[in-house]
Short mmCIF file of all heavy atoms in Angstrom, two decimals:
data_model
loop_
_atom_site.label_atom_id
_atom_site.label_comp_id
_atom_site.label_asym_id
_atom_site.label_seq_id
_atom_site.Cartn_x
_atom_site.Cartn_y
_atom_site.Cartn_z
N SER A 25 -9.66 3.93 8.34
CA SER A 25 -9.84 3.37 7.01
C SER A 25 -8.50 2.89 6.48
O SER A 25 -7.44 3.20 7.03
CB SER A 25 -10.45 4.41 6.06
OG SER A 25 -9.59 5.54 5.94
N ALA A 26 -8.55 2.12 5.39
CA ALA A 26 -7.32 1.62 4.77
C ALA A 26 -7.54 1.47 3.28
O ALA A 26 -8.64 1.16 2.83
CB ALA A 26 -6.92 0.28 5.39
N SER A 27 -6.47 1.72 2.52
CA SER A 27 -6.51 1.53 1.07
C SER A 27 -5.26 0.76 0.65
O SER A 27 -4.20 0.90 1.27
CB SER A 27 -6.55 2.88 0.34
OG SER A 27 -7.73 3.58 0.64
N VAL A 28 -5.39 -0.03 -0.40
CA VAL A 28 -4.30 -0.87 -0.88
C VAL A 28 -3.85 -0.40 -2.26
O VAL A 28 -4.68 -0.21 -3.16
CB VAL A 28 -4.72 -2.35 -0.96
CG1 VAL A 28 -3.58 -3.21 -1.48
CG2 VAL A 28 -5.17 -2.85 0.41
N TYR A 29 -2.55 -0.19 -2.40
CA TYR A 29 -1.95 0.24 -3.67
C TYR A 29 -0.80 -0.72 -4.00
O TYR A 29 -0.26 -1.38 -3.12
CB TYR A 29 -1.36 1.65 -3.56
CG TYR A 29 -2.30 2.71 -3.05
CD1 TYR A 29 -2.49 2.90 -1.68
CD2 TYR A 29 -2.97 3.55 -3.94
CE1 TYR A 29 -3.34 3.89 -1.21
CE2 TYR A 29 -3.83 4.54 -3.47
CZ TYR A 29 -4.00 4.71 -2.11
OH TYR A 29 -4.84 5.68 -1.64
N LYS A 30 -0.41 -0.75 -5.26
CA LYS A 30 0.85 -1.41 -5.59
C LYS A 30 1.99 -0.57 -5.03
O LYS A 30 1.94 0.66 -5.08
CB LYS A 30 1.01 -1.56 -7.11
CG LYS A 30 0.30 -2.75 -7.70
CD LYS A 30 0.71 -2.97 -9.15
CE LYS A 30 0.07 -4.24 -9.70
NZ LYS A 30 0.49 -4.49 -11.11
N ALA A 31 3.01 -1.22 -4.50
CA ALA A 31 4.16 -0.49 -3.98
C ALA A 31 4.89 0.21 -5.12
O ALA A 31 4.83 -0.22 -6.28
CB ALA A 31 5.10 -1.46 -3.26
N ASP A 32 5.56 1.30 -4.79
CA ASP A 32 6.27 2.08 -5.81
C ASP A 32 7.33 1.24 -6.52
O ASP A 32 7.58 1.43 -7.71
CB ASP A 32 6.92 3.31 -5.17
CG ASP A 32 5.89 4.30 -4.62
OD1 ASP A 32 4.74 4.28 -5.11
OD2 ASP A 32 6.23 5.06 -3.71
N ASN A 33 7.95 0.33 -5.79
CA ASN A 33 9.01 -0.51 -6.38
C ASN A 33 8.50 -1.91 -6.68
O ASN A 33 9.22 -2.90 -6.53
CB ASN A 33 10.20 -0.59 -5.42
CG ASN A 33 9.80 -1.13 -4.04
OD1 ASN A 33 8.62 -1.19 -3.71
ND2 ASN A 33 10.79 -1.55 -3.26
N TYR A 34 7.24 -2.01 -7.12
CA TYR A 34 6.60 -3.30 -7.35
C TYR A 34 7.41 -4.15 -8.32
O TYR A 34 7.87 -3.68 -9.36
CB TYR A 34 5.19 -3.10 -7.89
CG TYR A 34 4.43 -4.39 -8.09
CD1 TYR A 34 3.74 -4.98 -7.04
CD2 TYR A 34 4.43 -5.03 -9.33
CE1 TYR A 34 3.06 -6.17 -7.20
CE2 TYR A 34 3.75 -6.22 -9.50
CZ TYR A 34 3.06 -6.79 -8.45
OH TYR A 34 2.40 -7.97 -8.61
N ASN A 35 7.54 -5.44 -7.97
CA ASN A 35 8.31 -6.39 -8.76
C ASN A 35 7.51 -7.67 -8.84
O ASN A 35 7.17 -8.27 -7.81
CB ASN A 35 9.68 -6.63 -8.12
CG ASN A 35 10.53 -7.60 -8.91
OD1 ASN A 35 10.08 -8.22 -9.87
ND2 ASN A 35 11.78 -7.76 -8.49
N ASP A 36 7.19 -8.13 -10.05
CA ASP A 36 6.38 -9.35 -10.22
C ASP A 36 7.02 -10.56 -9.55
O ASP A 36 6.32 -11.46 -9.08
CB ASP A 36 6.17 -9.65 -11.70
CG ASP A 36 5.13 -8.73 -12.34
OD1 ASP A 36 4.21 -8.30 -11.62
OD2 ASP A 36 5.26 -8.44 -13.54
N ALA A 37 8.34 -10.58 -9.51
CA ALA A 37 9.03 -11.72 -8.92
C ALA A 37 8.90 -11.75 -7.40
O ALA A 37 8.99 -12.82 -6.79
CB ALA A 37 10.50 -11.70 -9.32
N ASP A 38 8.70 -10.61 -6.79
CA ASP A 38 8.54 -10.51 -5.34
C ASP A 38 7.52 -9.41 -5.06
O ASP A 38 7.87 -8.32 -4.61
CB ASP A 38 9.89 -10.18 -4.69
CG ASP A 38 9.82 -10.24 -3.17
OD1 ASP A 38 8.83 -10.79 -2.63
OD2 ASP A 38 10.75 -9.72 -2.51
N PRO A 39 6.25 -9.70 -5.34
CA PRO A 39 5.21 -8.65 -5.30
C PRO A 39 5.06 -8.02 -3.92
O PRO A 39 5.10 -8.71 -2.90
CB PRO A 39 3.94 -9.40 -5.72
CG PRO A 39 4.23 -10.84 -5.43
CD PRO A 39 5.70 -11.02 -5.66
N GLU A 40 4.88 -6.71 -3.94
CA GLU A 40 4.73 -5.95 -2.69
C GLU A 40 3.64 -4.91 -2.88
O GLU A 40 3.62 -4.18 -3.88
CB GLU A 40 6.06 -5.27 -2.36
CG GLU A 40 6.16 -4.71 -0.97
CD GLU A 40 7.59 -4.30 -0.64
OE1 GLU A 40 8.51 -5.11 -0.85
OE2 GLU A 40 7.77 -3.17 -0.16
N TYR A 41 2.73 -4.86 -1.94
CA TYR A 41 1.65 -3.88 -1.96
C TYR A 41 1.84 -2.92 -0.79
O TYR A 41 2.35 -3.30 0.27
CB TYR A 41 0.28 -4.56 -1.85
CG TYR A 41 -0.29 -5.06 -3.16
CD1 TYR A 41 0.49 -5.19 -4.30
CD2 TYR A 41 -1.63 -5.43 -3.25
CE1 TYR A 41 -0.03 -5.64 -5.49
CE2 TYR A 41 -2.17 -5.89 -4.45
CZ TYR A 41 -1.37 -6.00 -5.56
OH TYR A 41 -1.90 -6.45 -6.74
N ARG A 42 1.40 -1.69 -0.99
CA ARG A 42 1.45 -0.69 0.06
C ARG A 42 0.05 -0.50 0.63
O ARG A 42 -0.89 -0.22 -0.10
CB ARG A 42 1.98 0.65 -0.49
CG ARG A 42 1.89 1.81 0.48
CD ARG A 42 2.70 3.00 -0.04
NE ARG A 42 2.36 3.36 -1.41
CZ ARG A 42 1.38 4.21 -1.74
NH1 ARG A 42 0.64 4.79 -0.80
NH2 ARG A 42 1.15 4.50 -3.01
N VAL A 43 -0.08 -0.65 1.95
CA VAL A 43 -1.35 -0.46 2.63
C VAL A 43 -1.27 0.84 3.43
O VAL A 43 -0.41 0.98 4.30
CB VAL A 43 -1.70 -1.63 3.56
CG1 VAL A 43 -3.07 -1.40 4.21
CG2 VAL A 43 -1.69 -2.95 2.80
N ARG A 44 -2.12 1.77 3.10
CA ARG A 44 -2.17 3.05 3.82
C ARG A 44 -3.33 3.01 4.81
O ARG A 44 -4.48 2.79 4.41
CB ARG A 44 -2.31 4.22 2.86
CG ARG A 44 -2.48 5.58 3.53
CD ARG A 44 -2.22 6.72 2.56
NE ARG A 44 -0.81 6.76 2.19
CZ ARG A 44 -0.28 7.70 1.38
NH1 ARG A 44 -1.06 8.64 0.87
NH2 ARG A 44 1.01 7.67 1.08
N HIS A 45 -3.03 3.22 6.08
CA HIS A 45 -4.04 3.17 7.13
C HIS A 45 -4.22 4.54 7.76
O HIS A 45 -3.25 5.14 8.24
CB HIS A 45 -3.65 2.15 8.20
CG HIS A 45 -4.61 2.06 9.33
ND1 HIS A 45 -4.28 2.39 10.63
CD2 HIS A 45 -5.91 1.70 9.37
CE1 HIS A 45 -5.32 2.24 11.41
NE2 HIS A 45 -6.33 1.81 10.67
N TRP A 46 -5.44 5.06 7.72
CA TRP A 46 -5.77 6.34 8.34
C TRP A 46 -6.32 6.11 9.74
O TRP A 46 -7.21 5.27 9.93
CB TRP A 46 -6.82 7.08 7.51
CG TRP A 46 -6.31 7.70 6.26
CD1 TRP A 46 -5.90 9.01 6.08
CD2 TRP A 46 -6.17 7.07 4.97
NE1 TRP A 46 -5.51 9.21 4.77
CE2 TRP A 46 -5.66 8.05 4.07
CE3 TRP A 46 -6.40 5.78 4.50
CZ2 TRP A 46 -5.40 7.77 2.73
CZ3 TRP A 46 -6.15 5.49 3.18
CH2 TRP A 46 -5.64 6.49 2.31
N ASP A 47 -5.82 6.87 10.73
CA ASP A 47 -6.36 6.75 12.07
C ASP A 47 -7.55 7.69 12.25
O ASP A 47 -7.99 8.34 11.29
CB ASP A 47 -5.28 7.02 13.13
CG ASP A 47 -4.70 8.44 13.07
OD1 ASP A 47 -5.37 9.35 12.53
OD2 ASP A 47 -3.59 8.64 13.59
N LYS A 48 -8.08 7.76 13.45
CA LYS A 48 -9.28 8.55 13.71
C LYS A 48 -9.05 10.04 13.47
O LYS A 48 -10.00 10.78 13.18
CB LYS A 48 -9.75 8.33 15.15
CG LYS A 48 -10.17 6.91 15.45
CD LYS A 48 -10.52 6.75 16.92
CE LYS A 48 -10.86 5.31 17.26
NZ LYS A 48 -11.15 5.12 18.69
N SER A 49 -7.80 10.47 13.58
CA SER A 49 -7.48 11.90 13.39
C SER A 49 -7.22 12.25 11.93
O SER A 49 -7.02 13.42 11.61
CB SER A 49 -6.25 12.27 14.23
OG SER A 49 -6.48 12.02 15.60
N GLY A 50 -7.21 11.24 11.07
CA GLY A 50 -6.96 11.48 9.66
C GLY A 50 -5.50 11.36 9.28
O GLY A 50 -5.13 11.54 8.11
#
């Protein structure tokens, strides 16, 4: 599975998102 969050250091001028990907083992 995967979930998308705003990155901790998000900046409107250079937007960055954090994608967390879980493998089969969790």
Side-chain angles (χ1 to χ4, degrees):
S25 61
S27 297
V28 179
Y29 307 84
K30 277 190 176 182
D32 295 336
N33 57 345
Y34 183 85
N35 180 353
D36 284 330
D38 187 15
E40 193 169 310
Y41 275 15
R42 172 168 52 88
V43 182
R44 175 164 291 183
H45 178 244
W46 284 264
D47 62 22
K48 296 176 184 178
S49 301

